[in-house]
Amino acid sequence: MTLNVAPGRASAIFNLEYPQSVVVVDDYMTAQKVVDQLSDKEFPVENLCIVGTDLKTIERVTGRRTWGSVLGQGAVSGIGMGLLVGLMMMLFTTGEAIFPLLLTGLIVGVVIGMITAAITYSMTGGERDFNSVQQVVATHYEVLAEHKVAAQAREMVSDMPFMRAKAFEG
């Protein structure tokens, strides 16, 4: 069995031959500490991999969506497009009309951004009237090792003082 994390040539770095579990911990810092301690003891850490498991999605609600907030967000998103339009107009114009062209492009971008946001919001029909951010997080982290060194790694981890203390915590 080979652990493949990502498709393509870059995934070769994530491959382990016949991976076996060394230890499962509750946070990434502990998994890093395990690997660091193994490295300090001159264990061949190139045979290890830390894998986040038991994934869950966390969504943090940041506020209510109102027409005012929707139009405001549309205006802000339109600023970038407006500046780009203004700069493009400046490339094809000569003379002293640079500032008015930039301002015109900015206004056009803001208006288009607001119109686009209003249309999108009106099409939702009142569903999802809130803003939020999402993140996928792991609830556990597993240190895996190639089969040829897994037993040695497990033995070394069991001798780590902080891992023995964790066994008595739960």
Side-chain angles (χ1 to χ4, degrees), residues 6-103:
R9 290 183 3 193
S11 70
I13 198 167
F14 295 109
N15 289 343
L16 290 179
E17 290 185 31
Y18 304 106
Q20 294 182 357
S21 181
V22 174
V23 65
V24 177
V25 295
D26 292 333
D27 58 272
Y28 182 71
M29 296 301 288
T30 304
Q32 272 188 321
K33 190 172 182 179
V34 165
V35 174
D36 185 52
Q37 295 266 330
L38 288 170
S39 177
D40 291 346
K41 294 178 182 182
E42 298 187 11
F43 180 84
V45 292
E46 61 275 4
N47 294 303
L48 298 176
C49 187
I50 299 173
V51 179
T53 61
D54 300 327
L55 301 179
K56 65 180 177 180
T57 301
I58 297 174
E59 183 172 10
R60 174 73 166 102
V61 177
T62 57
R64 180 182 305 276
R65 285 184 93 191
T66 63
W67 276 105
S69 67
V70 168
L71 294 176
Q73 289 171 349
V76 169
S77 70
I79 287 174
M81 182 179 62
L83 288 174
L84 181 64
V85 168
L87 291 172
M88 294 297 287
M89 288 171 38
M90 285 174 40
L91 289 175
F92 300 107
T93 304
T94 58
E96 297 179 15
I98 291 175
F99 182 72
L101 286 176
L102 190 59
L103 187 61

Side-chain angles (χ1 to χ4, degrees), residues 104-122:
T104 301
L106 187 61
I107 292 170
V108 167
V110 167
V111 169
I112 290 174
M114 289 173 72
I115 290 170
T116 304
I119 291 170
T120 304
Y121 182 62
S122 67

